[in-house]
């Protein structure tokens, strides 16, 4: 059985145990320093004032001030220590989450909204900070205070202390009464908030699409619904917390009432000095407010617990594609590629008879250095072939081989280091053009970067920019044209010098000049490498050594342009369609 999220959090906090332990000692010190203050008050009322003893009064006030200053210093030190510990725990957790995220397979990203994932790392960990720095500190400080003060009260007057203790179980009943609903409401609120974050992230990222479809009003309305739902769900959480606190407050006042009633009676009977009653009353203000705070802290705890569940759910997600324990490093490849009866489905449990539908029994062998064009109707499985070749997903059955080795028997890092991918939608990261080109090989020299840019026909446009290679591109490289982005992506791939190249041609029409530049760059890039191109341009298809024709997840034909045309099958049909010359 898996340990509870809180138990697992304690394991995370373990490396900071010394800071936390020292913080707790300081809390203990600060609490003990608090205890004499009401007693000083008693001495002032019962002795210094009636006897008009100025000297005693001055001494008492000096002790009072000394204690106060010392306590302030201890509190400062304690907060420093515990804040440091809390922040360290959160930073380590964020690093752990991001590291784990890097190991997760594409299937995780397919099925989890980006906003939710970001919320795990940015927001849920913030709740862990509150748990450590708010909840734990207060819980420990308040527990120590309550135990010490209660013990002291028993020493002063056990009957009065017993009356105070009798009220305490009511606080526990109050908490237990609300606990389950509080947990449920907190979970419902967090789930809704995650959805809002997911929505926000998507819509901000896709501002261009929203604008081009003139959907601003619709988006505002969807966002407003999400935020309003959050308003109601959060209000429930707040109301639950308020009910809990108000009842706890009333119980606290009840405790004070008991003390004043019983203690006042004792004073009237002459069995207790006025100063003792005043001191007693002051002491119970050390007991009930912390207990009321305990109740409020349960909300912090509940929120943190929900966040911890989210965090551990992510950390427990196993990477679907991971290195086998005996995986070896792939040596420099020649570039032979083979698919052996490969079956695959994005859905791990495909409906129906369980036979994978995305790819079914795909087999082919490509010798090193050949250019392969993959063609076929939309949704026929072209991108899936390259996804499996780069091992973004594992095959359901069959095998993908490079140089005769099953790619599952080698480390994914060594495999992907030898594969260069240029996607249709070339993603550039925020940073300079130079940073983007050397993304796959950060150690590349300036000269190598320039050579790659020249080969990719990117050097010319880069040097016309005022900042040249130092030009900072936006998050998605929005300051560059589609053709320019593609040429940068090609430069990035050239610099990586992969043995196998995967190229997803842009479907959108580029102008002739841009297309020619990209074509030239591609030719240079493909030289001497096994290249797979999801081909849309006729020139690419015709020049390919081998054409794979996909249809409904199956490899329906394979051969050169001329061979396939003569065969008169799907390829000939697609070719004829393109030229409006039905066969
Ligand atoms: P296109 O030319 O339109 O890009 P394609 O031939 O490259 O299409 P694939 O992207 O390989 O086709 O998709 C094959 C099938 O798998 C399609 O039915 C598609 O809906 C499905 N599919 C693709 N990617 C995923 C995914 N990440 N999760 C689930 N299903 C997917």
């Amino acid at each position: 059985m898996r340990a509870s999220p809180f138990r697992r959090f304690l394991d995370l906090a373990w490396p900071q145990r010394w800071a936390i332990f020292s913080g707790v000692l300081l809390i203990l010190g600060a609490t003990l320093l608090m205890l004499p203050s009401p007693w000083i008050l008693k001495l002032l009322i019962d002795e210094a004032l009636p006897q008009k003893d100025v000297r005693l009064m001055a001494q008492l006030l000096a002790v009072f001030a000394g204690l106060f200053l010392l306590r302030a210093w201890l509190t400062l030190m304690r907060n420093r220590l515990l804040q440091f510990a809390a922040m360290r725990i959160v930073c380590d957790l964020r690093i752990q989450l991001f590291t784990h995220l890097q190991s997760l397979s594409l299937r995780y990203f397919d099925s989890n909204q980006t906003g939710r994932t970001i919320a795990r790392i940015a927001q849920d960990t913030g709740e862990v900070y509150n748990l450590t720095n708010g909840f734990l500190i207060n819980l420990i400080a308040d527990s120590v205070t309550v135990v010490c003060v209660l013990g002291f009260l028993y020493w002063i007057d056990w009957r009065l202390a017993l009356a105070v203790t009798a009220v305490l179980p009511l606080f526990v009943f109050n908490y237990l009464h609300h606990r389950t609903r509080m947990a449920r409401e907190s979970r419902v609120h967090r789930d809704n908030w995650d959805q809002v974050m997911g929505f926000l992230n998507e819509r901000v990222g896709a501002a261009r699409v929203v604008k081009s479809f003139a959907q601003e009003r619709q988006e505002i309305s969807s966002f407003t619904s999400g935020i309003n739902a959050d308003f109601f769900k959060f209000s429930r959480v707040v109301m639950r917390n308020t009910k809990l606190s108000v009842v706890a407050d009333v119980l606290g006042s009840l405790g004070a009432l008991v003390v004043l009633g019983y203690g006042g009676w004792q004073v009237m009977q002459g069995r207790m000095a006025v100063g003792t009653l005043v001191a007693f009353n002051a002491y119970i203000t050390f007991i009930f407010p912390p207990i009321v705070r305990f109740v409020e802290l349960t909300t912090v705890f509940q929120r943190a617990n929900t966040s911890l569940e989210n965090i551990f759910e992510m950390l427990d997600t196993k990477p679907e594609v991971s290195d086998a324990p005996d995986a070896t490093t792939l040596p420099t490849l020649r570039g032979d590629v083979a698919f052996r009866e490969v079956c695959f489905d994005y859905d791990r449990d495909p409906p129906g008879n369980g036979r994978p539908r995305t790819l079914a029994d795909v087999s082919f062998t490509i010798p090193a250095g050949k250019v392969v064009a993959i063609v076929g109707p939309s949704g026929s499985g072209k991108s899936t072939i390259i996804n499996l070749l780069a091992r973004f997903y594992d095959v359901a059955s069959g095998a993908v081989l490079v140089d005769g080795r099953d790619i599952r028997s080698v480390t994914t890092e060594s495999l992907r280091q030898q594969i260069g991918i240029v996607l249709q939608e070339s993603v550039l990261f925020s940073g300079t053009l130079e940073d983007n080109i050397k993304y796959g090989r950060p150690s590349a020299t300036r000269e190598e970067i320039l050579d790659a840019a020249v080969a990719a026909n990117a050097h010319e446009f880069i040097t016309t920019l005022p900042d040249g290679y130092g030009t900072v591109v936006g998050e998605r490289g929005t300051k560059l044209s589609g053709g320019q982005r593609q040429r940068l992506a090609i430069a990035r791939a050239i610099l990586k010098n992969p043995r196998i190249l995967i190229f997803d041609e842009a479907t959108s029409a580029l102008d002739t000049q841009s297309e020619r530049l990209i074509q030239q760059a591609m030719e240079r890039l493909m030289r001497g490498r096994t290249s797979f191109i999801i081909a849309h341009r006729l020139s690419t298809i015709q020049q390919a050594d081998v054409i794979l024709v996909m249809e409904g997840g199956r490899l329906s034909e394979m051969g050169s342009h001329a061979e396939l045309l003569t065969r008169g099958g799907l390829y000939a049909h697609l070719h004829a369609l393109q030229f409006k010359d039905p066969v």
Side-chain angles (χ1 to χ4, degrees), residues 276-317:
T276 309
L277 179 62
V278 172
F280 213 100
N281 200 46
Y283 277 121
I284 63 165
T285 61
F286 290 160
I287 295 186
F288 290 116
I291 289 182
V292 173
R293 253 202 314 274
F294 278 156
V295 171
E296 287 165 358
L297 283 180
T298 54
T299 322
V300 176
F301 178 71
Q302 206 55 61
R303 277 216 307 268
N305 207 44
T306 311
S307 289
L308 284 170
E309 280 172 11
N310 290 341
I311 287 172
F312 289 121
E313 185 194 22
M314 184 166 155
L315 285 177
D316 290 342
T317 308

Coordinates of all heavy atoms in Angstrom, one line a residue, residues 276-317:
T276 N -4.0 36.6 40.4 CA -4.0 35.3 39.9 C -5.1 35.1 38.9 O -4.8 34.5 37.8 CB -4.2 34.2 41.1 OG1 -3.3 34.6 42.1 CG2 -4.0 32.8 40.6
L277 N -6.3 35.6 39.1 CA -7.3 35.5 38.1 C -7.0 36.2 36.8 O -7.2 35.7 35.7 CB -8.7 36.1 38.7 CG -9.8 36.0 37.7 CD1 -10.2 34.6 37.3 CD2 -11.1 36.7 38.3
V278 N -6.4 37.4 37.0 CA -6.0 38.2 35.8 C -4.9 37.4 35.0 O -5.0 37.2 33.8 CB -5.4 39.6 36.2 CG1 -4.8 40.3 35.0 CG2 -6.5 40.4 36.8
A279 N -3.9 36.8 35.8 CA -2.9 36.0 35.1 C -3.5 34.8 34.4 O -3.2 34.5 33.3 CB -1.9 35.6 36.2
F280 N -4.4 34.2 35.1 CA -5.1 33.0 34.6 C -5.8 33.3 33.3 O -5.7 32.7 32.3 CB -6.1 32.5 35.6 CG -6.2 31.0 35.5 CD1 -5.6 30.2 36.5 CD2 -7.0 30.4 34.5 CE1 -5.7 28.8 36.4 CE2 -7.1 29.0 34.5 CZ -6.4 28.2 35.4
N281 N -6.5 34.5 33.3 CA -7.2 34.9 32.1 C -6.2 35.2 31.0 O -6.5 34.9 29.8 CB -8.0 36.2 32.5 CG -9.2 36.3 31.5 OD1 -9.8 35.4 31.1 ND2 -9.3 37.5 31.0
A282 N -5.1 35.8 31.4 CA -4.1 36.1 30.3 C -3.5 34.8 29.8 O -3.3 34.6 28.6 CB -3.0 36.9 30.9
Y283 N -3.4 33.8 30.6 CA -2.8 32.5 30.2 C -3.8 31.8 29.2 O -3.3 31.2 28.2 CB -2.5 31.6 31.4 CG -1.2 31.9 32.0 CD1 -1.0 32.3 33.3 CD2 0.0 31.8 31.2 CE1 0.2 32.6 33.8 CE2 1.2 32.1 31.7 CZ 1.3 32.5 33.0 OH 2.6 32.8 33.5
I284 N -5.1 31.9 29.5 CA -6.0 31.2 28.6 C -6.0 31.8 27.2 O -6.3 31.2 26.2 CB -7.4 31.0 29.1 CG1 -8.1 32.3 29.3 CG2 -7.4 30.1 30.3 CD1 -9.6 32.1 29.5
T285 N -5.6 33.1 27.1 CA -5.5 33.7 25.7 C -4.3 33.0 25.0 O -4.1 33.2 23.8 CB -5.2 35.2 25.8 OG1 -4.0 35.5 26.4 CG2 -6.4 36.0 26.4
F286 N -3.4 32.3 25.7 CA -2.4 31.6 25.1 C -2.9 30.2 24.6 O -2.2 29.5 23.8 CB -1.2 31.3 26.0 CG -0.4 32.6 26.4 CD1 0.4 32.6 27.5 CD2 -0.4 33.7 25.6 CE1 1.1 33.7 27.8 CE2 0.3 34.8 25.9 CZ 1.1 34.8 27.0
I287 N -4.0 29.8 25.1 CA -4.5 28.5 24.8 C -5.6 28.5 23.7 O -5.4 27.8 22.6 CB -5.1 27.8 26.0 CG1 -4.0 27.6 27.1 CG2 -5.8 26.5 25.6 CD1 -4.5 26.8 28.2
F288 N -6.6 29.3 23.9 CA -7.7 29.3 22.9 C -7.3 29.8 21.5 O -7.7 29.2 20.5 CB -9.0 29.9 23.5 CG -9.5 29.0 24.6 CD1 -9.6 29.5 25.9 CD2 -9.9 27.7 24.3 CE1 -10.1 28.7 26.9 CE2 -10.4 26.9 25.3 CZ -10.5 27.4 26.6
P289 N -6.7 31.0 21.4 CA -6.4 31.4 20.0 C -5.5 30.4 19.3 O -5.9 30.1 18.1 CB -5.6 32.7 20.2 CG -6.1 33.2 21.5 CD -6.4 32.0 22.4
P290 N -4.5 29.7 19.9 CA -3.8 28.7 19.1 C -4.7 27.6 18.7 O -4.6 27.0 17.6 CB -2.7 28.2 20.1 CG -2.5 29.3 21.0 CD -3.8 30.0 21.1
I291 N -5.7 27.2 19.6 CA -6.6 26.1 19.2 C -7.5 26.5 18.0 O -7.7 25.8 17.1 CB -7.3 25.6 20.4 CG1 -6.3 24.9 21.3 CG2 -8.4 24.6 20.0 CD1 -6.9 24.3 22.6
V292 N -8.0 27.8 18.1 CA -8.8 28.3 17.0 C -7.9 28.3 15.7 O -8.4 27.9 14.6 CB -9.3 29.7 17.3 CG1 -10.0 30.3 16.1 CG2 -10.2 29.7 18.5
R293 N -6.6 28.6 15.9 CA -5.7 28.6 14.7 C -5.5 27.2 14.2 O -5.5 27.0 13.0 CB -4.4 29.2 15.1 CG -4.1 30.6 14.5 CD -2.7 31.0 14.5 NE -1.9 30.7 15.6 CZ -1.8 31.5 16.7 NH1 -2.5 32.7 16.7 NH2 -1.1 31.2 17.7
F294 N -5.5 26.2 15.1 CA -5.3 24.8 14.6 C -6.4 24.6 13.6 O -6.2 24.0 12.5 CB -5.6 23.8 15.7 CG -4.4 23.6 16.6 CD1 -4.6 23.2 17.9 CD2 -3.1 23.8 16.2 CE1 -3.5 22.9 18.8 CE2 -2.0 23.6 17.0 CZ -2.2 23.2 18.3
V295 N -7.6 25.0 14.0 CA -8.8 24.7 13.1 C -8.6 25.4 11.8 O -8.8 24.8 10.7 CB -10.1 25.2 13.8 CG1 -11.2 25.2 12.9 CG2 -10.3 24.4 15.1
E296 N -8.1 26.7 11.8 CA -7.9 27.4 10.5 C -6.8 26.7 9.7 O -6.8 26.6 8.5 CB -7.5 28.8 10.8 CG -8.7 29.6 11.2 CD -8.3 31.0 11.8 OE1 -7.1 31.3 11.9 OE2 -9.3 31.7 12.2
L297 N -5.8 26.2 10.4 CA -4.7 25.5 9.7 C -5.2 24.3 9.0 O -4.5 23.9 8.0 CB -3.6 25.1 10.8 CG -2.8 26.2 11.3 CD1 -1.8 25.6 12.3 CD2 -2.0 26.9 10.2
T298 N -6.3 23.7 9.4 CA -6.7 22.5 8.8 C -7.0 22.8 7.3 O -6.9 22.0 6.4 CB -8.0 21.9 9.4 OG1 -9.0 22.9 9.5 CG2 -7.7 21.3 10.8
T299 N -7.5 24.1 7.0 CA -7.7 24.4 5.6 C -6.4 24.4 4.8 O -6.4 23.9 3.7 CB -8.3 25.9 5.5 OG1 -9.2 26.0 6.6 CG2 -9.0 26.1 4.2
V300 N -5.4 25.0 5.4 CA -4.1 25.1 4.8 C -3.6 23.6 4.5 O -3.2 23.2 3.5 CB -3.0 25.8 5.7 CG1 -1.6 25.7 5.1 CG2 -3.4 27.2 6.0
F301 N -3.8 22.8 5.6 CA -3.4 21.4 5.5 C -4.2 20.7 4.4 O -3.6 20.0 3.5 CB -3.6 20.7 6.8 CG -3.3 19.2 6.7 CD1 -1.9 18.9 6.6 CD2 -4.2 18.3 6.7 CE1 -1.6 17.5 6.5 CE2 -3.9 16.9 6.6 CZ -2.6 16.6 6.5
Q302 N -5.5 21.0 4.3 CA -6.4 20.3 3.3 C -5.9 20.7 1.9 O -5.8 19.9 1.0 CB -7.8 20.7 3.6 CG -8.8 19.7 3.1 CD -8.5 18.4 3.7 OE1 -8.6 18.2 4.9 NE2 -8.2 17.4 2.9
R303 N -5.7 22.0 1.7 CA -5.3 22.5 0.4 C -3.9 21.8 0.0 O -3.7 21.4 -1.1 CB -5.1 24.0 0.4 CG -6.4 24.7 0.2 CD -6.2 26.0 -0.7 NE -5.2 26.8 -0.1 CZ -5.4 27.8 0.7 NH1 -6.7 28.1 1.1 NH2 -4.5 28.6 1.2
A304 N -3.0 21.8 1.0 CA -1.7 21.3 0.7 C -1.8 19.8 0.4 O -1.1 19.3 -0.4 CB -0.8 21.5 1.9
N305 N -2.7 19.1 1.1 CA -2.9 17.7 0.9 C -3.4 17.4 -0.5 O -2.9 16.5 -1.2 CB -3.9 17.1 2.0 CG -3.6 15.7 2.2 OD1 -2.5 15.3 2.4 ND2 -4.6 14.9 2.2
T306 N -4.3 18.2 -0.9 CA -4.8 18.1 -2.3 C -3.7 18.3 -3.3 O -3.5 17.6 -4.3 CB -5.9 19.1 -2.6 OG1 -6.9 19.1 -1.5 CG2 -6.6 18.9 -3.9
S307 N -2.9 19.3 -3.0 CA -1.7 19.6 -3.9 C -0.7 18.5 -3.9 O -0.2 18.1 -4.9 CB -1.0 20.9 -3.5 OG -1.8 22.0 -3.8
L308 N -0.5 17.9 -2.7 CA 0.5 16.8 -2.6 C 0.0 15.6 -3.4 O 0.8 14.9 -4.0 CB 0.7 16.4 -1.1 CG 1.6 17.4 -0.3 CD1 1.6 17.0 1.2 CD2 3.1 17.3 -0.8
E309 N -1.3 15.4 -3.3 CA -1.9 14.3 -4.1 C -1.6 14.5 -5.6 O -1.2 13.6 -6.3 CB -3.4 14.2 -3.9 CG -3.8 13.5 -2.6 CD -5.3 13.6 -2.4 OE1 -6.1 14.0 -3.3 OE2 -5.8 13.3 -1.3
N310 N -1.8 15.7 -6.0 CA -1.5 16.1 -7.4 C 0.0 15.8 -7.8 O 0.3 15.3 -8.8 CB -1.8 17.5 -7.7 CG -3.3 17.8 -7.7 OD1 -4.1 16.9 -7.8 ND2 -3.7 19.0 -7.5
I311 N 0.8 16.3 -6.9 CA 2.3 16.3 -7.1 C 2.7 14.8 -7.2 O 3.4 14.4 -8.1 CB 3.0 17.0 -6.0 CG1 2.8 18.5 -6.2 CG2 4.5 16.6 -6.0 CD1 3.4 19.3 -5.0
F312 N 2.2 14.0 -6.2 CA 2.7 12.6 -6.2 C 2.1 11.8 -7.4 O 2.7 10.8 -7.9 CB 2.4 11.9 -4.9 CG 3.3 12.5 -3.8 CD1 2.9 13.1 -2.7 CD2 4.7 12.4 -4.0 CE1 3.7 13.6 -1.7 CE2 5.6 12.9 -3.0 CZ 5.1 13.5 -1.9
E313 N 0.9 12.2 -7.8 CA 0.3 11.5 -8.9 C 1.2 11.7 -10.2 O 1.4 10.8 -10.9 CB -1.1 12.2 -9.2 CG -1.8 11.4 -10.3 CD -3.0 12.2 -10.8 OE1 -3.1 13.5 -10.7 OE2 -3.9 11.6 -11.4
M314 N 1.7 13.0 -10.3 CA 2.6 13.2 -11.4 C 3.9 12.4 -11.2 O 4.4 11.8 -12.2 CB 2.9 14.7 -11.5 CG 3.7 15.1 -12.7 SD 3.6 16.9 -13.0 CE 5.1 17.1 -13.8
L315 N 4.5 12.5 -10.0 CA 5.8 11.8 -9.8 C 5.6 10.3 -9.9 O 6.6 9.6 -10.3 CB 6.3 12.2 -8.4 CG 6.9 13.6 -8.2 CD1 7.3 13.8 -6.8 CD2 8.1 13.8 -9.2
D316 N 4.4 9.8 -9.7 CA 4.2 8.3 -9.8 C 3.9 7.9 -11.2 O 3.9 6.7 -11.5 CB 3.0 7.9 -8.9 CG 3.4 8.0 -7.4 OD1 4.6 8.1 -7.1 OD2 2.5 8.0 -6.6
T317 N 3.7 8.9 -12.1 CA 3.5 8.5 -13.5 C 4.8 7.9 -14.1 O 5.8 8.5 -14.1 CB 3.1 9.7 -14.4 OG1 2.0 10.3 -13.7 CG2 2.6 9.3 -15.8

